[in-house]
């Protein structure tokens, strides 16, 4: 969430001092998808409104509110890696969770040094089942274009971090 993106560096430092062996998992999501999901939740779900009842100005206000509240992905990762060694910070991606949950879980298990074989069979067999979820409304093309431009730098940073973690 945006709140975890904005943990002040002093708090990260304090966490690292109190828990020096802590392993940190940072899950990044395509910023366009993240903001669209957050805007739908905020404007539709929390206000009990249909998509069509919300003005474009309201959508754009939420888009900008989110844009101004989240640091860059590289800054986020660098803040954590400054206080925890790189081998204690694992960056992963929401799209991997959606497209290949078994591999995603394997990566997390490897990072925290647990054996995936210790999970009950039904857990592994049900990894691809979606539980919960938000409002099923695809992003309109004009919003997608706008957000892609707004978050161009963040998308590029996410690709850089993804290439770094795959190296």
């Amino acid at each position: 969430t945006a709140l975890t993106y904005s943990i002040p560096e002093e708090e990260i430092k304090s966490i690292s001092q109190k828990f020096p062996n802590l392993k940190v998992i940072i899950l990044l999501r395509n910023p366009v998808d993240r903001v669209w999901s957050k805007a739908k939740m905020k404007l539709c779900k929390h206000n009990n409104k249909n998509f069509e009842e919300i003005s474009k100005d309201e959508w754009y206000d939420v888009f900008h509110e989110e844009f101004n509240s989240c640091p860059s992905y590289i800054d986020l990762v660098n803040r954590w890696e400054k206080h925890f060694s790189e081998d204690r910070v694992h960056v992963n991606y929401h799209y991997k969770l959606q497209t290949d949950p078994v591999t995603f879980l394997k990566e997390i298990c490897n990072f925290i040094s647990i054996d995936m074989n210790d999970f009950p069979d039904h857990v592994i067999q049900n990894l691809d089942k979606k539980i919960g979820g938000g409002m099923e409304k695809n992003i309109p093309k004009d919003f997608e274009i706008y957000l892609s431009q707004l978050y161009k730098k963040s998308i590029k940073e996410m690709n850089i971090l993804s290439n770094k973690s795959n190296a």
Side-chain angles (χ1 to χ4, degrees):
T1 67
L3 293 176
T4 56
Y5 289 147
S6 60
I7 294 175
E9 188 161 338
E10 270 308 305
E11 286 187 42
I12 295 171
K13 181 179 180 181
S14 176
I15 292 167
S16 73
Q17 291 168 343
K18 289 179 184 170
F19 306 99
N21 295 321
L22 180 73
K23 290 189 173 185
V24 178
I25 298 170
I26 299 172
L27 182 62
L28 300 178
R29 185 174 186 183
N30 177 302
V32 173
D33 296 339
R34 179 180 52 79
V35 171
W36 177 240
S37 177
K38 177 79 179 243
K40 288 188 303 183
M41 183 177 64
K42 186 173 188 172
L43 293 173
C44 296
K45 187 174 182 180
H46 291 173
N47 291 324
N48 207 20
K49 289 183 174 182
N50 291 322
F51 176 83
E52 295 75 19
E53 297 176 88
I54 300 162
S55 73
K56 282 198 173 201
D57 286 341
E58 289 176 280
W59 288 107
Y60 285 107
D61 286 347
V62 172
F63 297 161
H64 285 278
E65 180 183 306
E66 286 301 306
F67 180 78
N68 292 324
S69 69
C70 291
S72 81
Y73 285 157
I74 287 182
D75 290 345
L76 168 73
V77 172
N78 286 342
R79 279 201 329 257
W80 284 95
E81 287 181 346
K82 180 177 178 182
H83 299 285
F84 291 87
S85 59
E86 275 190 47
D87 65 324
R88 300 200 102 35
V89 178
H90 176 76
V91 178
N92 215 317
Y93 305 91
H94 187 264
Y95 74 87
K96 286 185 181 179
L97 175 60
Q98 290 182 308
T99 59
D100 189 358
V102 173
T103 300
F104 178 86
L105 182 60
K106 282 180 186 176
E107 290 174 2
I108 299 298
C109 288
N110 287 339
F111 177 66
I112 60 176
S113 302
I114 64 171
D115 188 347
M116 207 168 117
N117 294 322
D118 291 340
F119 288 103
D121 289 339
H122 73 275
V123 171
I124 304 303
Q125 292 165 357
N126 291 306
L127 281 176
D128 60 348
K129 291 188 179 165
K130 185 174 180 179
I131 299 172
M135 178 183 153
E136 294 296 328
K137 175 69 176 167
N138 292 333
I139 185 169
K141 197 67 176 165
D142 56 334
F143 288 171
E144 182 179 18
I145 291 167
Y146 180 78
L147 288 171
S148 294
Q149 286 302 310
L150 187 64
Y151 283 95
K152 191 175 191 175
K153 179 183 175 204
S154 294
I155 293 167
K156 184 176 181 180
E157 289 177 344
M158 192 170 137
N159 290 333
I160 290 168
L161 289 167
S162 179
N163 290 336
K164 178 182 169 187
S165 66
N166 290 331

